[in-house]
Amino acid sequence: QLDPFYASIILFVGRAWDAITDPMVGFFISKTPWTRFGRLIPWIIFSTPFAVISYFLIWFVPDISRGQVMWYLVFYCIFQTLVTCFHVPYSALTMFISREQSERDSATAYRMTVEVLGTVLGTAIQGQIVGTVITPCIESPPFIGKTNSSVAMEELNMTRDTGSLTDTRNAYMIAAGVIGGLYILCAVILSVGVREKRESSELHSDTPVSFFHGLKLVMNHGAYIKLIAGFLFTSLAFMVSTAGLEDGGVGTAVAQVGDGWGVSGIGPTQSPNRLGASTLTIPLWQWFLTRFGKKTAVYVGISSAIPFLIMVVLLDSNLIITYIVAVAAGISVAAAFLLPWSMLPDVIDDFKLQHPDSHGHEAIFFSFYVFFTKFTSGVSLGISTLSLDFAGYQTRGCSQPREVNVTLKMLVSAVPVGLILVGLLLFKLYPIDEEKRRKNKKALQDLREESNSSSESDNTELASIV
């Protein structure tokens, strides 16, 4: 029952907080000493219980008349920090399980497939539990206008049935408890089932590097900057589109806006179908990138969504079009999220060749990637929420102003298409193609062999002296 403006502020401040915590956590992980469990796994083990508690408190409604905004802001920031302590080492494990590029690519494909599958499962669980509580739309009195919609809707919310509010709160808390249980289960499986290989990521022993020096080295690497910039724009495109469709679905009578462009049927079906298609097509893109190269896969996979994003607003909405758009968008989403993650280890290998005496920066590379993943999610929700609020969207209103129709069309089609085009241009500037990858692979092998032979010579000399 927060005003959409305050909800957007919480999201934006939380992402700004992420901008600080993600690289800091990445640096602290890189300086963490190795244990018998590894360097990354302990972070996952110790952050999990606190992350689950903070996640539950995000959905808890405190019995206070004032200060709810601060409550949600504080626990949202705490939760984001603890998720960073999980997600950064979890993502960076790719660099610590193998030296081979092909094995890392395969591991990334498996990881992204299961991540998307987990997102489908979490969406289904949350939707089924919360969906059991029926919240009918509210008929808006004729005196409600754009200028005073927030005040009027607040008065209507105050008259809402108290029992319905209680049931809604309980449903969200039950869903949070179930999701928290799954969080713990997955963390246990990961901690027990994965073993880090220290030698997979290091050419020599660690050399202490200051935080700012390491950060400067990473952020001055041109290939990395171009990759995360392209990743940012393409991810934001698909998330803005999804947020627009889902916001259209949340308003139970958005189909009645303006010229009758029906969105209410699209929102509830788009997410599971889109994510389901993504899950099934990630192995396809994994095969495609091994056959034709990663940059080609990026161009083909991401650009294929453009005609379908245009179709969703040009054609009259019906069930067939809804499913076609959902599946087509899901195929592109799979490419948009798999391929940049698959390209990141190549960037780290390139960095190692340019800075052979600087080690242990893998967590910093992955921390910024994790940040941009969460950043695009928060920005997309903030853009969607604020845009609809400015357009006069009325929460749970049975009818909506005509401006909401135009805003939804922009969020679903025009804005994502523009972001995709910018992202593809940035990927065009990305310098690591297949030929460059092969040269880097051979150079790294030569460097490791030289390092091993040098180490063996030192040991032989030491033995002769003794």
Side-chain angles (χ1 to χ4, degrees):
Q1 286 193 288
L2 286 180
D3 184 273
F5 174 77
Y6 291 117
S8 300
I9 291 297
I10 291 173
L11 290 171
F12 279 121
V13 172
R15 301 310 173 182
W17 175 249
D18 265 346
I20 301 173
T21 58
D22 282 346
M24 289 294 292
V25 168
F27 174 76
F28 288 137
I29 290 175
S30 68
K31 298 295 106 182
T32 301
W34 282 84
T35 67
R36 63 190 185 95
F37 299 105
R39 170 187 283 172
L40 305 177
I41 296 297
W43 282 81
I44 294 172
I45 295 174
F46 290 112
S47 67
T48 293
F50 300 103
V52 170
I53 294 172
S54 61
Y55 178 73
F56 184 82
L57 291 175
I58 288 176
W59 297 103
F60 178 76
V61 181
D63 189 18
I64 52 178
S65 58
R66 294 184 179 180
Q68 284 192 348
V69 173
M70 186 57 63
W71 170 283
Y72 292 121
L73 176 61
V74 168
F75 284 107
Y76 182 68
C77 290
I78 292 175
F79 174 68
Q80 291 297 333
T81 303
L82 293 167
V83 166
T84 297
C85 294
F86 183 105
H87 203 180
V88 170
Y90 163 71
S91 303
L93 275 171
T94 305
M95 299 297 299
F96 288 81
I97 58 179
S98 177
R99 288 178 174 177
E100 293 296 323
Q101 292 178 350
S102 59
E103 292 182 355
R104 291 173 179 174
D105 291 344
S106 177
T108 301
Y110 277 105
R111 178 171 71 84
M112 296 308 297
T113 300
V114 178
E115 274 197 36
V116 175
L117 185 63
T119 305
V120 175
L121 179 63
T123 303
I125 292 173
Q126 181 92 359
Q128 288 298 315
I129 295 176
V130 176
T132 58
V133 181
I134 300 175
T135 53
C137 66
I138 301 173
E139 292 289 349
S140 302
F143 61 82
I144 293 183
K146 282 185 64 177
T147 56
N148 62 348
S149 60
S150 298
V151 176
M153 291 307 298
E154 183 178 352
E155 293 176 356
L156 286 175
N157 285 334
M158 292 174 62
T159 64
R160 192 188 308 177
D161 180 58
T162 305
S164 175
L165 272 180
T166 303
D167 292 340
T168 303
R169 291 174 180 174
N170 293 337
Y172 275 102
M173 290 178 66
I174 292 172
V178 174
I179 297 296
L182 287 175
Y183 193 122
I184 294 175
L185 175 63
C186 294
V188 171
I189 294 174
L190 176 65
S191 302
V192 173
V194 177
R195 288 291 177 267
E196 300 174 50
K197 298 179 181 179
R198 184 175 184 176
E199 67 276 5
S200 294
S201 66
E202 296 175 352
L203 298 176
H204 306 282
S205 60
D206 286 335
T207 302
V209 178
S210 68
F211 171 74
F212 291 105
H213 179 62
L215 187 62
K216 181 180 179 181
L217 288 175
V218 170
M219 298 310 293
N220 283 338
H221 192 58
Y224 183 61
I225 296 300
K226 294 180 178 68
L227 181 61
I228 60 175
F231 178 57
L232 171 64
F233 279 95
T234 53
S235 300
L236 188 59
F238 289 106
M239 289 187 179
V240 167
S241 175
T242 300
L245 288 168
E246 289 177 344
D247 285 343
V250 170
T252 54
V254 174
Q256 300 178 19
V257 303
D259 55 6
W261 183 58
V263 189
S264 61
I266 298 179
T269 59
Q270 272 275 358
S271 286
N273 286 315
R274 180 181 291 201
L275 293 173
S278 299
T279 304
L280 296 176
T281 53
I282 284 178
L284 171 64
W285 289 117
Q286 174 64 19
W287 169 84
F288 191 95
L289 69 87
T290 58
R291 184 77 169 79
F292 301 101
K294 296 181 181 180
K295 289 189 70 172
T296 302
V298 166
Y299 301 145
V300 174
I302 297 177
S303 62
S304 63
I306 293 178
F308 296 97
L309 291 173
I310 297 174
M311 180 192 302
V312 76
V313 295
L314 293 183
L315 301 180
D316 293 334
S317 176
N318 59 63
L319 189 60
I320 295 176
I321 292 178
T322 297
Y323 276 96
I324 291 175
V325 171
V327 171
I331 294 173
S332 295
V333 167
F337 287 94
L338 166 66
L339 293 169
W341 280 106
S342 181
M343 296 158 82
L344 181 56
D346 302 333
V347 171
I348 297 176
D349 287 343
D350 187 68
F351 176 84
K352 288 179 179 179
L353 288 174
Q354 295 187 23
H355 305 277
D357 297 324
S358 185
H359 314 290
H361 300 303
E362 293 87 356
I364 298 179
F365 277 100
F366 278 91
S367 67
F368 276 99
Y369 238 49
V370 171
F371 162 68
F372 281 115
T373 302
K374 294 188 291 184
F375 176 77
T376 52
S377 175
V379 169
S380 63
L381 289 172
I383 291 174
S384 175
T385 305
L386 280 177
S387 298
L388 291 175
D389 187 40
F390 292 148
Y393 181 81
Q394 296 165 2
T395 305
R396 294 183 62 227
C398 291
S399 60
Q400 301 291 341
R402 181 177 294 272
E403 289 80 359
V404 174
N405 177 32
V406 178
T407 302
L408 285 172
K409 286 185 177 183
M410 294 291 292
L411 291 173
V412 170
S413 181
V415 174
V417 169
L419 291 171
I420 286 175
L421 293 176
V422 174
L424 291 176
L425 176 61
L426 292 169
F427 278 123
K428 180 70 174 176
L429 302 176
Y430 175 70
I432 303 177
D433 53 15
E434 292 306 301
E435 182 180 357
K436 179 72 171 176
R437 284 185 65 207
R438 287 191 291 267
K439 290 181 179 179
N440 286 350
K441 179 180 179 181
K442 186 178 185 306
L444 279 173
Q445 289 176 344
D446 294 340
L447 193 59
R448 290 190 181 105
E449 290 174 359
E450 179 182 346
S451 175
N452 292 334
S453 62
S454 176
S455 177
E456 291 174 1
S457 300
D458 292 342
N459 292 336
T460 302
E461 183 178 354
L462 178 62
S464 64
I465 294 174
V466 172

